[in-house]
Amino acid sequence: MADFTAAIQNKPHDLQTYDRRALAYRGLKNFDGAIADYTFLLAKNPNDTEALTKRGYTYSLMGEYEKAIPDYQAALKLNPQDNDTFSRLQWTQGQLAAKNAPPPAATTTTTTTAPTATPEKPSLFTQIKPLYIVIGIVVLIVIAVIVRLLTRGKAEETSHIIR
């Protein structure tokens, strides 16, 4: 972080350094620092779709979905063909809906029944019986013997070409 900050002090107009520092902040889970750098970038260029998307993603990581959605929507307004941002917007809206959903109502019943386990589909290994394995091996041996008997005693055709 100190290197990015020093680089920014040396070249305060280099916006790419702010973007890199924000990414580093986000990697270190210093989301407030990342938000501050992305906000600075957007103050310099409000039409920066990458900064909008990255700030929205950072808000999503923080769980502040209501702040992330306007950033994603603004980025999509500038670049409607950005499928990645569109997917992130949909995911964030779903997370916000789940966060704001009322808890499921508790149902009270007068009789208590034991929960029934859902039957699981048996695996292939539990379906194969040892008898089936023995039958399969015997069939393969019989086929091998029949093939050997059919091909036994026949002369092989030889080619007259010398190799």
Side-chain angles (χ1 to χ4, degrees), residues 4 6 13 16 21 28 40 54 61 63 90 104 118 146 154-156:
F4 286 121
H13 300 293
Q16 190 175 20
R21 185 173 72 174
L28 294 171
F40 176 79
K54 290 175 182 179
L61 291 174
Q90 286 185 322
T118 57
I146 291 172
K154 291 186 179 178
E156 292 184 12

Side-chain angles (χ1 to χ4, degrees), residues 4 7-24 34 36-51 54:
F4 286 121
I8 288 172
Q9 288 173 351
N10 290 337
K11 295 182 182 179
H13 300 293
D14 184 13
L15 300 181
Q16 190 175 20
T17 307
Y18 284 95
D19 184 53
R20 289 180 180 160
R21 185 173 72 174
L23 182 62
D37 281 349
Y38 289 133
T39 302
F40 176 79
L41 289 171
L42 289 168
K44 294 290 184 183
N45 181 8
N47 294 330
D48 187 353
T49 58
E50 283 190 37
K54 290 175 182 179

Side-chain angles (χ1 to χ4, degrees):
M1 282 304 143
D3 292 339
F4 286 121
T5 304
I8 288 172
Q9 288 173 351
N10 290 337
K11 295 182 182 179
H13 300 293
D14 184 13
L15 300 181
Q16 190 175 20
T17 307
Y18 284 95
D19 184 53
R20 289 180 180 160
R21 185 173 72 174
L23 182 62
Y25 275 140
R26 196 170 68 198
L28 294 171
K29 301 200 184 312
N30 180 352
F31 300 125
D32 292 330
I35 294 293
D37 281 349
Y38 289 133
T39 302
F40 176 79
L41 289 171
L42 289 168
K44 294 290 184 183
N45 181 8
N47 294 330
D48 187 353
T49 58
E50 283 190 37
L52 282 165
T53 302
K54 290 175 182 179
R55 187 173 72 174
Y57 181 66
T58 306
Y59 278 131
S60 294
L61 291 174
M62 295 170 68
E64 296 184 15
Y65 306 116
E66 54 280 339
K67 292 182 181 178
I69 290 172
D71 282 346
Y72 288 142
Q73 289 172 335
L76 284 172
K77 195 173 200 180
L78 296 169
N79 184 9
Q81 304 302 321
D82 189 356
N83 291 328
D84 185 47
T85 302
F86 182 74
S87 297
R88 288 179 186 211
L89 173 63
Q90 286 185 322
W91 182 86
T92 304
Q93 288 171 334
Q95 292 298 315
L96 181 61
K99 179 180 173 183
N100 293 334
T107 58
T108 57
T109 57
T110 55
T111 60
T112 49
T113 58
T116 58
T118 57
E120 293 184 21
K121 186 176 180 181
S123 69
L124 180 63
F125 293 114
T126 59
Q127 292 178 347
I128 296 176
K129 307 280 188 233
L131 178 63
Y132 295 150
I133 294 172
V134 172
I135 292 172
I137 292 172
V138 169
V139 168
L140 288 174
I141 292 172
V142 169
I143 291 172
V145 169
I146 291 172
V147 168
R148 177 71 179 138
L149 288 174
L150 291 176
T151 59
R152 191 169 144 202
K154 291 186 179 178
E156 292 184 12
E157 293 183 29
T158 58
S159 172
H160 299 291
I161 301 173
I162 300 173
R163 293 182 192 216

